[in-house]
Amino acid sequence: MLDARDQRVLRGPLLSFNSDPGEGDRPAPGSVLQLDDGAVWLEAGQIRAVGDYREIAPQLPPGIEVIDYTDKLMMPGFIDSHVHFVQLDIMASYGRQLLDWLNEYTFPEECRFAERAHAEDVADAFLDEQLRVGTTTAQVFCTSHPNSVEAFFTAAHQRGLRMLAGKVHMDRNAPAALVDDTYGGIRDAERLIGDWHGKGRLGYALTPRFAPTSTGEQLDAVGGMLRNAPDLHVQTHLSENQGEIAWVAELFPESRDYLDVYERYGLVGPRSTFAHGIHLTQDMRQRLADAGANIAFCPTSNLYLGSGLFDRLACREANLNVTLASDIGAGTDLSGFATLKAAYQVGQLLDQPLTAWQGFYRLTLGNARALHLDKHIGSLRAGNEADLVVLDPRATPLLARRQARTQTLAEQLFALMILGDDRSVYATWAGGRCVHQRDVSLS
Ligand code: GUN
Ligand code: ZN
C-alpha cells in the first residue's frame, strides 16, 4: 500500500476531452469533461481518480497533500507532434523560403550537433522551454548524429517525460558533415532503438528527413526497419513548398507524386507523421487516411516560411488525422497557444476558423490519439500518466480584463487561445511531479 506521501490531489477547475468535439460552436455531446471544482488524485506518477472534489474527498487518505488551483484551469499536458529540438537556436532567422532556409541556417546549425556538449546544452534548454509552455510530450527530430539522440533521450529520461525522437537519416544533398553513410546510419538507428525504445516513457521514431535528402536505398532500408518493428513511429516531411515538390519530382521520376515516394518504400502507416502536407490532392489525403497516418499542421512555420495555407477541413473530409505542431525552428513559438492562434488565423483565411474546443482537443487528446499515445496521455482519466498543465486564465492584466468580460467556458478558452502565452502556464506536471512552476526555479 502506498501511503499519503506518494500521493497528492490537485484541486480546481478542470477540462479534458473524451472524444472529438467536432467543428461546431458547441462541443459534441459527451465529448468534454468539465468540472468547476475538480480533483485529480495522483499516485505513483499516474492519475488514480478524477472527479468532483466533494465526491473524491471522503476517499482520500488522511494527511494527503491537496494543492489548491482554485482560480486556475487544469488540462492534460499539451502535445507537439512535430518539432526539431536542434533548431532552437536558429528560430527567427530572417527571410527565406524552405530550401534556402535549410541551406543557409538549418544545415550549418545541425552540423554543430556532432559535438555532444552542444547537443546536451540545447536538449536541456529545449526541454526547459517546453515545460515552461506546458508541453509535456513531443515527437522530435534530432540530427543525423547519434550523439544528438543520446543527449535528447538522456535529458528527457532524467525529467521523466514521455517523448518520441529519432536520428535523422540523410545520405545526399546536404553538407558532408550531416550526410550519413546509408547503411552505417541504419546500424546507428538500430543501436539507438535497442538502447532507448521503450526505456521509461521514451519511444523511437524513424526519421528520414524528407525525400530530397535520401536515396531510394536509404528510404528502402528505413522502410525495412519499420516492417521488422511496426511499433516504431515514423516522422518526415511532405509537400511543404512548391520548390521542394518540383525537386522531388526530378529526383524520383518513377513516382507519380511526392507521397508515392514514401509509399513505395513502406513508410506510410498508422504511426507515420507527415509534417506540413500543404499542397496535397484529395487523392493523396485519401491515401494517407486509408493508411491511418497523420499530417502535422504547423501553422506558425507555414506562415513564417511562406509555405502556404493548410486546408484542415479537406483533411477532415477525407477522414485524415490532423495533429498540431510547432515545427521549431521554422515555427516561431514553442507555445501551444501560439500554434492555436496561428491555426485560427490560417483557418480564417480559408473560411474555416478553428473553435477553441477543436483547438484544445487537438493539442491534447487529438494529438495523443493520432500518435497512438492515448492509452497513456492526452486526457485526465484514471490510469493515465499524470501529465498536466495548470493554466492561469488571468495571467496578465490584459487577460484579466478580457476574462472579466467572458461569460462561457468557450469564450474563456478562446481568449486564452488568442491572448495566452508562457505566462498563462502556472504549473506543469509530468509523471506526477511538478516540473515547472511559474516564477519559481525548481532546479
Ligand atoms: N523539410 C526538410 N527538413 C525540414 C526542416 O528542418 N524544417 C522544415 N520546416 N521543413 C523541412
Ligand atoms: Zn519539420
Side-chain angles (χ1 to χ4, degrees), residues 82 84 237 275-276 327:
H82 176 81
H84 302 250
H237 298 88
H276 309 299
D327 190 33

Side-chain angles (χ1 to χ4, degrees), residues 82 84 87 98-99 101-102 106-107 110 141 209-210 212-213 237-238 240 244 258 275-276 301-302 305 307 327-331:
H82 176 81
H84 302 250
Q87 296 174 11
L98 174 65
L99 299 178
W101 176 84
L102 285 173
T106 313
F107 290 162
E110 293 194 8
F141 266 60
R209 178 171 215 118
F210 69 154
T213 48
H237 298 88
L238 172 70
E240 175 178 7
E244 169 208 18
Y258 194 160
H276 309 299
S301 166
N302 298 165
L305 292 178
S307 304
D327 190 33
I328 298 307

Side-chain angles (χ1 to χ4, degrees), residues 208-367:
R209 178 171 215 118
F210 69 154
T213 48
S214 285
T215 58
E217 289 74 37
Q218 187 174 57
L219 294 176
D220 190 45
V222 177
M225 292 172 82
L226 182 63
R227 272 191 298 283
N228 287 333
D231 67 319
L232 297 173
H233 285 74
V234 177
Q235 52 178 350
T236 187
H237 298 88
L238 172 70
S239 296
E240 175 178 7
N241 168 284
Q242 298 292 4
E244 169 208 18
I245 294 167
W247 196 20
V248 171
E250 259 172 55
L251 292 168
F252 296 91
E254 68 285 2
S255 285
R256 66 176 157 143
D257 57 31
Y258 194 160
L259 178 61
D260 184 50
V261 176
Y262 296 133
E263 287 172 333
R264 229 166 244 266
Y265 296 112
L267 293 166
V268 185
R271 287 167 184 259
S272 304
T273 298
F274 295 91
H276 309 299
I278 298 170
H279 311 285
L280 297 178
T281 62
Q282 202 58 7
D283 174 63
M284 291 160 94
R285 292 190 187 98
Q286 200 59 63
R287 281 148 56 201
L288 286 161
D290 291 347
N294 76 89
I295 296 278
F297 175 23
C298 312
T300 70
S301 166
N302 298 165
L303 295 172
Y304 186 71
L305 292 178
S307 304
L309 302 177
F310 177 75
D311 192 339
R312 200 174 57 81
L313 291 191
C315 296
R316 191 182 265 283
E317 215 174 280
N319 257 328
L320 168 57
N321 285 321
V322 172
T323 55
L324 282 178
S326 69
D327 190 33
I328 298 307
T332 53
D333 205 317
L334 280 145
S335 169
F337 295 123
T339 300
L340 290 180
K341 176 176 171 175
Y344 174 78
Q345 290 167 332
V346 167
Q348 284 289 59
L349 293 172
L350 296 177
D351 198 21
Q352 41 182 264
L354 182 74
T355 67
W357 299 116
Q358 184 59 214
F360 283 103
Y361 166 70
R362 291 283 151 202
L363 213 50
T364 56
L365 183 61
N367 272 6

Side-chain angles (χ1 to χ4, degrees), residues 51-104:
D52 272 315
Y53 182 76
R54 256 168 268 274
E55 281 169 28
I56 299 259
Q59 307 166 40
L60 297 172
I64 189 170
E65 181 186 14
V66 178
I67 300 177
D68 185 2
Y69 289 137
T70 298
D71 56 351
K72 306 295 187 293
L73 176 62
M74 294 184 277
M75 276 196 209
F78 297 155
I79 301 168
D80 187 341
S81 68
H82 176 81
V83 59
H84 302 250
F85 97 84
V86 294
Q87 296 174 11
L88 187 74
D89 294 337
I90 56 151
M91 288 172 71
S93 297
Y94 177 74
R96 292 283 180 272
Q97 290 223 341
L98 174 65
L99 299 178
D100 296 321
W101 176 84
L102 285 173
N103 284 320
E104 217 160 298

Side-chain angles (χ1 to χ4, degrees), residues 149-194:
V149 186
E150 302 274 1
F152 180 78
F153 275 143
T154 301
H157 193 59
Q158 276 166 358
R159 289 166 174 76
L161 304 176
R162 180 163 288 284
M163 287 282 163
L164 301 170
K167 177 203 126 51
V168 164
H169 294 274
M170 49 202 299
D171 66 350
R172 63 169 165 173
N173 294 323
L178 286 184
V179 162
D180 54 1
D181 174 77
T182 304
Y183 296 105
I186 298 296
R187 286 192 292 278
D188 286 340
E190 283 168 351
R191 184 178 53 74
L192 289 164
I193 291 165

Side-chain angles (χ1 to χ4, degrees), residues 413-434:
L413 290 172
F414 188 69
L416 259 178
M417 164 166 149
I418 302 299
L419 298 176
D421 57 29
D422 54 336
R423 295 168 296 182
S424 312
V425 176
Y426 183 74
T428 306
W429 289 74
R433 285 193 316 120
C434 184

